[in-house]
Amino acid sequence: MSQKTKIIEREDVVIRFSGDSGDGMQLTGTQFSDTSALFGNDVATFPDYPAEIRAPQGTVGGVSGFQLHFGHQEVFTPGDYADVLVAMNPAALKSNLKWVKPSGTIIVNEDSFTEKNLEKAGYDSDPLLEDKLADYNLIKAKVTSLTRECLKDSGLDQKSILRSKNMFTLGMVYWMFDRPLKHSEEFIEKKFKKHPLVVDANKKVLKAGFNFAKTIEALPYNYSVAPANIRKGRYRNITGNKATAWGLMAAADKAKLELFCGSYPITPATDIFQELAIHKGLGVKTFQAEDEIAGICTAIGASFAGDFAVTTTSGPGLALKTEAAGLAVMTELPLVIVNVQRGGPSTGLPTKTEQADLLQAIHGRSGECPMPVIAASTPSDCFHFAFEAGRIALEHMTPVILLTDGFIANGTEPWRIPSMSDLPEIIPPIAKEGEDFLPYAREDDRLSRRWAIPGTKGLEHRIGGLEKMDGDGTVSYVPENHQLMSDIRKKRVELVANNIPELKVKGNDEADVLVVGWGGTYGHLMTAVRELQKEGKSISLVHFNYIFPLPKNTGEIFGHYKKIIVCELNNGQFVEYLRGSFYGIKFEQLNKLMGLPFTVVELKERFNQLLEDK
Amino acid sequence: MADTLLNKPNVKGLSAKDFRSDQENRWCPGCGDHGILNSVQRAMAEMDHKREDYAVISGIGCSSRFPYYMNTYGFHTIHGRAAAIASGVKCANPNLEVLQISGDGDALAIGGNHFIHAVRRNIDMTIMLFNNEIYGLTKGQYSPTSRYGMVTKTSPYGTIEEPFNPAQLALGAQSKFYARSIDTNINLTKEVVKSASAHKGTSIVEILQNCVIYNDGAHALITDKANKDEYQLVIEHGKPMIFGKDKNKGLIMGGNGKLVVVTIGEHGITEQDVLVHDAHTEDSHMHWLLSSMMAPEYPVALGVIRDVDSTSYDEKMAQQIEDIKAISTIKSMDELLNSGDTWVVD
Ligand code: SF4
């Protein structure tokens, strides 16, 4: 398509689009990532929205970003630092410059570097006029005026014309990475089907941007990232929150139950609830409750009445749900509680990511109140672990907490679409009319009670939050019975370990260093460990999705390594938990609390240090 | 008499006895809750639901032990949350006949938010509000319905907060059904429970209940034999609102927009002048006035005060799902997973 003199093959490239909330950067980024995925690259993306919905235009607080990482190899993260930054205004440049690699490329919309905008962004002087950016490949493009010029005869009003300027930058970046325009052209045709003028305008600007980059030779050389060697199959892009919603729906489908979700909106979990609300066509019942407590309580009621019930929330919401979660433990009803973790405590950093609700999930209830906790680790595996949370809840008659986080919830990656027939059936222990039924009789190896659903003749019974007599389920204050029931509740969660897969180490069984992680840090840990392995370092990774109970071979794996480092986005909650469970094993720890994921760079630095330590 | 009543089977062949569980009853002897339990079991015997279709959901408090004494599906939940849990039960399975049992503390203090929102949504269930104006289970603290100035363990010098009138709260939350009875009036309670159950939507049945231990005689002014006829007005839709020992007192609308108690035969007042109760009118103004009447200025209104036709939330929820299913292009999970932009890697 382009005639470049020099093409440089790259393993992977990171691009960051940034601009004002209204500049269409999310759409631009999504287009580039879809095109790259279609081209055959592996892709990971992460949107970075401002916390305030209507932050003032042109200010640093109002900058919206979208980072994407595409590669010839498997890509596990949206990347630490960008090879290319697109900055649509001074504020975008100011807030994102620190994320550009040394000698990276920066494309700025020169038109927006006006005195007023510079002031809004907090610049004392114009950074484009100084040598501050001399170390970068700075491309100044008059994006606004070029777009205007290109569309002067389009018949569109000024506002609509300006709205298409993001297509200009998209076109430029397409040229730089030798990408076809076809996918985006089709997208534009579909999106603006009812407005042919807008379709023409956007396509024209896209091409103009492409040609502009070619004319000015935006790069002295051209990057090319060859398609990755990806497993055959049909793919789609998916965010963690959407994958979570679909995983819950898949679990209901496989259990042949109706799905009920009682929730209250909370960032960053709301998208799961919204996604479920769309799918009434597949029978999903959503109930927007008056508060977090009612969210879980309606779900518990629905579970009592025989639905597969879920509630979705984030940390502060989980705190509000704890008493009711205890009721679900006491009554041994199936329930999935999804906690999309955000920065805390209190309102904290609602749009940022953290892993600091781990101990809340494991222990944060009154009394001895155990329930299984599992964690998803990538946007797409949210589907699998939401399904798993449902499977465990329904088969073991227990509430289950599924932990995701703001990073994987909003991130996207291509996902090989599973077939429903590949997923296991879920068989909850539903009591049938005519069977001998006692509310707290336990028959199977899971020690779960049977689920007698109201409406079933002859199985009328009463349950509740008061301690119940083993077997017949009458209210009991007998001391020995409370001991017994407490032991059973503990044992029931332990028995889940028989129904989950064992851990697999990524790398050598006997490496010098074992990196340990859990949940949404997988991508960064995997990238860092893999890069070090390629450099010949003796390092392996073991990553946990099943947190409570732990997989059965956990202790055995730890026994193989002298140096173990547990990395997590909190002050050391998982490592505390491991120390309590595996006495005598020495765990190093790496913690971060900035509302941001780890960077591969900082991980490698720490791991190298540990490798060198005697 | 009681036994013949208890043994009269309903259409499903069930009598009141069939709704009794074998659990030992732990309410204090003389507690008003016994009478209410009796009324509810009799009401069930006169209704046509199958036993397995009843779900009795309660919160926490003395009254909330109710489900244990019922031989139906029952759920004794946590303090204040019964309305939310009952809402979930009904939405999950609209075929169930859901009865929520709460006290004044459970429904109006810790559970106030769930109470008003259940009413606002109009979920098809009956909320029985046992109003004894005190916390009984925690041994005698004032509740949101305790009278102003009442001395209790947490208000040794008298309360300094105004009580709720539960009916005003419910009407403010757009309640479509409100009835009131007294624990000792087994027959009236039974009748209003039946009406509540027949109503589509959230039905509230407030029962003035006596706590013999911590607030004995809270409702004595209107329940004492001597005053009963003067301070109780049992209203019925379509009937003039007449009361009194001699059936000669009635309500008329005064010029200042307030209800006025009049005596038939005095000042030229005839029975024709007395207001006729309209429980079915959408306009809640008169229902507000009626449910706000307090003794000794007025008689207390009992019976079905408001009963307005409506479509319940759970019906609408089920209907919306059916409607969307009919027009949805995605018919299965596999179709959903493969919907939108996808691509093939070969
Ligand atoms: S304390 Fe009062 S309300 Fe509670 S059971 Fe005894 S009498 Fe009834």
Side-chain angles (χ1 to χ4, degrees), chain B residues 252 262-274:
Chain B
I252 62 162
V262 293
T263 308
I264 297 167
E266 283 178 12
H267 308 293
I269 299 276
T270 70
E271 203 178 312
Q272 271 67 46
D273 297 317
V274 174

Side-chain angles (χ1 to χ4, degrees), chain A residues 283-572:
Chain A
V284 179
K285 296 173 215 173
T286 51
F287 186 103
Q288 181 166 320
E290 54 274 21
D291 58 27
E292 292 281 356
I293 297 173
I296 186 171
C297 284
T298 52
I300 289 172
S303 174
F304 175 64
D307 277 358
F308 168 41
V310 306
T311 183
T312 55
T313 191
S314 185
L318 185 65
L320 285 165
K321 293 182 195 295
T322 53
E323 187 199 12
L327 177 68
V329 168
M330 205 63 167
T331 51
E332 303 183 20
L333 286 170
L335 174 73
V336 172
I337 304 167
V338 181
N339 176 6
V340 185
Q341 298 168 98
R342 64 191 217 183
S346 185
T347 312
L349 305 170
T351 57
K352 302 292 174 192
T353 199
E354 210 160 272
Q355 295 183 299
D357 294 341
L358 181 77
L359 292 181
Q360 182 185 204
I362 300 176
H363 297 303
R365 288 168 293 281
S366 67
E368 291 293 349
C369 193
M371 67 172 75
V373 178
I374 68 177
S377 45
T378 73
S380 70
D381 83 8
C382 285
F383 177 86
H384 175 70
F385 288 104
F387 184 88
E388 278 291 274
R391 182 181 68 85
I392 293 169
L394 291 163
E395 292 190 344
H396 290 258
M397 291 292 286
T398 178
V400 173
I401 292 182
L402 170 66
L403 295 174
T404 71
D405 60 55
F407 175 67
I408 60 173
N410 288 318
T412 71
E413 62 183 357
W415 177 45
R416 191 169 171 276
I417 302 169
S419 159
M420 286 300 288
S421 59
D422 295 341
L423 300 175
E425 298 299 326
I426 295 175
I427 304 164
I430 295 175
K432 307 263 158 29
E433 185 179 328
E435 77 174 46
D436 259 350
F437 171 77
L438 283 177
Y440 283 82
R442 307 169 191 285
E443 292 152 15
D444 57 19
D445 50 357
R446 291 168 191 166
L447 291 182
S448 52
R449 68 183 197 89
R450 293 181 68 75
W451 194 5
I453 295 169
T456 313
K457 192 175 176 191
L459 304 188
E460 294 88 352
H461 68 285
R462 276 66 57 194
I463 56 171
L466 284 171
E467 183 64 285
K468 296 295 185 292
M469 194 64 174
D470 181 37
D472 73 10
T474 51
V475 175
S476 166
Y477 300 105
V478 175
E480 290 75 14
N481 180 68
H482 181 54
Q483 181 75 55
L484 175 69
M485 293 298 269
S486 301
D487 293 347
I488 289 174
R489 285 189 283 269
K490 180 162 177 269
K491 185 80 187 160
R492 274 167 36 73
V493 175
E494 288 166 6
L495 285 172
V496 171
N498 292 334
N499 201 8
I500 58 173
E502 296 207 332
L503 278 176
K504 287 201 188 77
V505 173
K506 317 247 180 219
N508 196 323
D509 271 355
E510 316 261 311
D512 291 347
V513 166
L514 178 69
V515 173
V516 175
W518 67 273
T521 52
Y522 172 76
H524 294 89
L525 296 175
M526 188 64 213
T527 307
V529 167
R530 186 169 281 196
E531 285 181 16
L532 289 171
Q533 285 170 344
K534 274 192 196 151
E535 293 166 22
K537 306 276 167 67
S538 175
I539 188 165
S540 297
L541 170 71
V542 69
H543 199 82
F544 288 80
N545 295 105
Y546 298 90
I547 308 288
F548 186 50
L550 291 164
K552 284 204 255 180
N553 61 337
T554 304
E556 185 200 320
I557 287 176
F558 288 155
H560 291 171
Y561 300 87
K562 288 223 171 53
K563 291 183 199 167
I564 302 177
I565 182 162
V566 182
C567 310
E568 47 186 332
L569 299 172
N570 56 39
N571 267 341

Side-chain angles (χ1 to χ4, degrees), chain A residues 20-167:
Chain A
D20 230 19
S21 292
D23 282 339
M25 291 296 102
Q26 304 298 329
L27 186 139
T28 312
T30 307
Q31 279 303 302
F32 194 93
S33 99
D34 287 356
T35 294
S36 299
L38 279 171
F39 181 75
N41 292 133
D42 198 14
V43 187
T45 76
F46 188 69
D48 189 9
Y49 306 107
E52 285 85 30
I53 305 291
R54 298 258 177 271
Q57 264 201 346
T59 63
V60 171
V63 173
S64 162
F66 188 97
Q67 182 153 315
L68 69 100
H69 183 189
F70 58 104
H72 164 56
Q73 298 266 341
E74 265 182 290
V75 157
F76 296 105
T77 77
D80 295 354
Y81 296 98
D83 296 282
V84 177
L85 170 70
V86 173
M88 295 300 278
N89 65 9
L93 179 66
K94 181 147 193 187
S95 61
N96 287 298
L97 189 58
K98 58 178 177 291
W99 297 111
V100 185
K101 284 182 190 167
S103 73
T105 295
I106 299 174
I107 301 174
V108 296
N109 175 11
E110 201 180 351
D111 291 326
S112 71
F113 281 67
T114 60
E115 213 167 296
K116 205 169 129 206
N117 283 343
L118 288 166
E119 196 190 307
K120 275 196 212 160
Y123 275 118
D124 297 333
S125 57
D126 189 344
L128 303 184
L129 302 177
E130 296 161 15
D131 55 1
K132 276 185 201 152
L133 302 177
D135 294 342
Y136 301 95
N137 171 34
L138 179 67
I139 302 170
K140 294 188 262 188
K142 294 189 184 324
V143 176
T144 312
S145 27
L146 288 167
T147 302
R148 227 183 244 141
E149 175 63 25
C150 171
L151 294 182
K152 64 174 190 286
D153 302 323
S154 65
L156 288 177
D157 58 83
Q158 277 305 311
K159 215 169 147 194
S160 308
I161 287 176
L162 287 183
R163 221 180 273 145
S164 42
K165 68 179 186 295
N166 60 334
M167 286 298 135

